[in-house]
Each structure stands twice: as structure tokens, then as C-alpha cells.
Amino acid sequence: MLDKLLKERALPPLLTQADGTPVTDWRTRRAVLLTALETYSYGHTPPPPLRVWCEELEAPAPFRRIYGGKVRQERLLLHFETEHGVCRFPFVLALPLRVEKPPVLLHLAFRPDLPDKAVPVEEITDAGYALAVVCYQDMVNDAHFGDFSDGIAAHFGTQNPRGPEEWGKIGMWAYGASRVLDYLLTRADIDAAHTAVVGHSRLGKTALWCAAQDERFRFGISNDSGCSGAAISRENTGETIEAICRQFPYWFCENYTKYTNDEDMLPVDQHMLLALMAPRPLYVSSSSEDDWADPAAELLSCKMAGEAYQLYNLEGVIIPDTGVENDTAYQDGMIGYHKKTGEHSLTD
């Protein structure tokens, strides 16, 4: 059934080169797709900085224990050098004290608060994970009308109007998440080589673009990321490129706006974004009542992205021919998927 739906959507082929020959070398093809997504969707990302460091913003260790003394919390201010000075933003790190060198969930959050209704800190740390939480607004604001006057945008000299391939704010938030990983990899008390980047909605789009570019992330997790995230754009029944660019054109490069109401002419689609995770694990979550994010299009994208994993003799998403059931996790393949009952939200 999914194969039939994919054929009807006439997606740009994942494993066929521009001259029509089949792809056998994923590394070469990956580079082509990454450049195409930069050119037509997200804009080009600057190179990483030469130096990243942090300073603590809290009291000494004995006063940072929370959740009955099970977790140590650190509030940190991250710094990195740019041509326009030192860029800074805060984030929070929660460490389970009973685990030696825990792996990390790096959560791109809508609010700086911790705990937060969408971040079950105690459950995550009880499961043996460290949790890094960075509020996207602290990296660069999400103001309307293309305000590029603060944060990461200002430190890279981004102006409005931008060039056609110049990055948008999703690229900037993703860049900031990679700078947090730069720092985490310097810590001897965590296993930052096993870090997952996690996001919901627009930050689910960001988490996918971040993990697609930065292969140091072991895992990518998106929730209800929808249009320009996990969901295929062609024949989308939810949010469209026209709708998202009408309200949030500054999230993407200027080239992306050329494909409003013309998705079929876009040289890329979102299965290519998901495929850039191969051969690393990927998890996509949808919500049953979130028609705007189009769960069916997210699942189809997962299915199509599996072709890249097959080049590594790995399975992508594995689901029954009859389709998926709500609140059931399908995790046997390298692409995990579930559709939870409910609306557009990130829940426990």
C-alpha cells in the first residue's frame, strides 16, 4: 500500500544520479543531496568555529542536586568565536548521578524552563540519560518579518534581504545545537559520542536538519515536524510550502519560496532529508489528530528514506502491510516510527 502511494507522489529518486545511473556509493550521493537541500531549502551552513567553551552560571555542585538528589543540574553559558565577536547563549545540563558516562538527549526546547511540561526530566534521567536543554529563542529570535539583528544571525552578518542560498533560522538553530555538541564532546563524565538531537514541530524540522548535517549526532528524533521536516511535500494534505513560507519565510533560504504552489518542481523532497541519517538510527513520531503535520506524509517519507539504509544492508522502517496502529512503536528497523493518539504536542 505504501509503495503504491509513493509511486503516485512521483518523488525525486533517492538512488538515481542526475545522469540516470543507479547510486551504489552512498557517501558520494549523500554529499550531493546535502548540497541540494542547502541550495533549495535550508541555506548554506557556515563552517564550525575554532573554539567553543562554557562557563557555569550556578552555585557549587552540592547545591545543584534535584529530584531527591538523583540528578545534578548545571546551568551553562556557551561561547564560540565568530568573525563578528563571541556569540553566547545559555543551556541546561541534567546529569543522572547513578550512571557513569550517560548518553545524552539534546532537546531543542521552546522555553528555557526546566522542568517543563514537554520535558520529563526525571523520567529521562531515571532511564540513564543525561539531558541537555537549549531554548531556540536564546540562540536567535523567532521574530516575524525576517529580523536577523540578534544572536547567531547578527554574529554571522546576516542581513535582510538575504542572498538566495543564504541560511535561514532553522539552519541557525541547528548550528547552535552543533555548538552544544562541540562542548559536550569535551566532557569526560558523559558519553557524548552517543548523543541524540530531539525536537518538536519547527524544532523537529531543526533536529532533522541538524542531525542530517552533523554526523557526530548518533541519533535524530523528530516529533510532529510536518512540512519541511519529516513530511513529504508533494501531494501533502496538511501544511504546504506556500503556507509555511507565507508565515515563516525566514526559517528557510530565499530559494525555497520559489516553490510555493509548485512542489513538483522542487528538486528535493523530505525523504532525502531523512535519508541523510543513514546508516545512523532515526526516530519519527506523529500525532493522530495533527492533520497539519500530515502523519501519512511523514510515514511515507520514512518508508522512502529506507532505500539509503538498504545500501548498508540495513532495514529502514518496518511496519505491517496493513499499516500502523495508534500508540504502537515500530522500532525493529533503523528508522523507528509511532503515531500517538492526540493533537500537535510533545508528551511523555
Side-chain angles (χ1 to χ4, degrees):
M1 180 62 176
L2 289 181
D3 291 335
K4 180 177 182 294
L5 290 173
L6 285 169
K7 186 175 181 180
E8 291 173 351
R9 295 206 182 194
L11 298 177
L14 188 62
L15 298 184
T16 303
Q17 301 181 85
D19 62 2
T21 58
V23 171
T24 56
D25 174 14
W26 178 243
R27 297 303 304 174
T28 300
R29 178 61 171 167
R30 185 186 191 284
V32 170
L33 295 178
L34 184 60
T35 298
L37 284 160
E38 286 186 315
T39 301
Y40 297 107
S41 298
Y42 303 102
H44 292 285
T45 300
L50 295 177
R51 191 162 76 98
V52 175
W53 70 100
C54 277
E55 63 176 289
E56 289 197 61
L57 298 176
E58 275 199 335
F63 303 99
R64 298 199 302 258
R65 295 193 175 188
I66 56 176
Y67 300 112
K70 296 183 295 182
V71 177
R72 186 174 81 251
Q73 178 174 286
E74 300 179 13
R75 294 191 178 273
L76 301 162
L77 185 65
L78 184 138
H79 306 66
F80 62 91
E81 295 175 339
T82 76
E83 291 184 1
H84 296 271
V86 176
C87 186
R88 303 173 179 86
F89 59 83
F91 73 99
V92 180
L93 183 62
L95 298 162
L97 294 176
R98 66 176 180 84
V99 179
E100 184 177 353
K101 295 199 66 164
V104 188
L105 296 179
L106 198 171
H107 176 59
L108 298 166
F110 282 93
R111 290 167 292 273
D113 311 309
L114 200 68
D116 179 78
K117 64 181 182 180
V119 189
V121 182
E122 189 168 14
E123 290 88 340
I124 289 169
T125 52
D126 279 351
Y129 297 93
L131 176 67
V133 178
V134 56
C135 177
Y136 81 129
Q137 297 269 31
D138 287 333
M139 295 187 281
V140 61
N141 76 74
D142 193 19
H144 291 261
F145 310 114
D147 179 8
F148 291 100
S149 63
D150 79 324
I152 292 173
H155 279 85
F156 283 91
T158 307
Q159 301 291 325
N160 191 15
R162 293 170 291 147
E165 298 179 16
E166 194 169 356
W167 65 345
K169 293 195 176 180
I170 283 179
M172 296 175 191
W173 298 322
Y175 186 85
S178 286
R179 306 293 66 84
V180 175
L181 182 58
D182 288 340
Y183 167 72
L184 295 177
L185 286 166
T186 69
R187 303 263 311 218
D189 55 347
I190 57 177
D191 180 12
H194 290 87
T195 298
V197 59
V198 187
H200 163 65
S201 194
R202 70 194 64 179
L203 300 180
K205 308 180 204 302
T206 304
L208 291 172
W209 181 229
C210 176
Q213 297 177 91
D214 191 341
E215 294 181 276
R216 299 175 303 167
F217 282 102
R218 174 64 181 149
F219 212 125
I221 302 174
S222 76
N223 183 75
D224 295 342
S225 60
C227 180
S228 312
I232 286 171
S233 298
R234 286 161 169 81
E235 306 298 327
N236 195 337
T237 61
E239 188 175 29
T240 61
I241 293 176
E242 187 279 328
I244 201 168
C245 286
R246 182 175 1 105
Q247 191 168 8
F248 305 111
Y250 56 90
W251 287 357
F252 312 96
C253 68
E254 291 291 337
N255 273 345
Y256 200 47
T257 62
K258 298 176 182 177
Y259 298 95
T260 58
N261 296 316
D262 202 13
E263 288 88 348
D264 288 345
M265 296 305 295
L266 183 64
V268 294
D269 212 319
Q270 299 312 108
H271 62 301
M272 294 173 167
L273 174 67
L274 300 191
L276 293 180
M277 284 297 301
R280 297 168 292 156
L282 167 67
Y283 204 98
V284 173
S285 172
S286 305
S287 297
S288 62
E289 299 172 37
D290 190 2
D291 294 338
W292 196 235
D294 197 345
E298 292 189 322
L299 179 57
L300 287 174
S301 191
C302 290
K303 174 68 174 176
M304 190 67 175
E307 290 184 356
Y309 288 84
Q310 292 171 9
L311 293 178
Y312 291 92
N313 295 316
L314 298 170
E315 291 289 335
V317 65
I318 300 176
I319 58 172
D321 292 338
T322 53
V324 301
E325 297 182 3
N326 288 356
D327 306 312
T328 299
Y330 299 92
Q331 303 182 43
D332 292 336
M334 294 300 291
I335 301 176
Y337 180 82
H338 81 263
K339 182 171 64 173
K340 64 183 181 297
T341 300
E343 299 177 348
H344 187 75
S345 61
L346 182 62
T347 66
D348 290 358

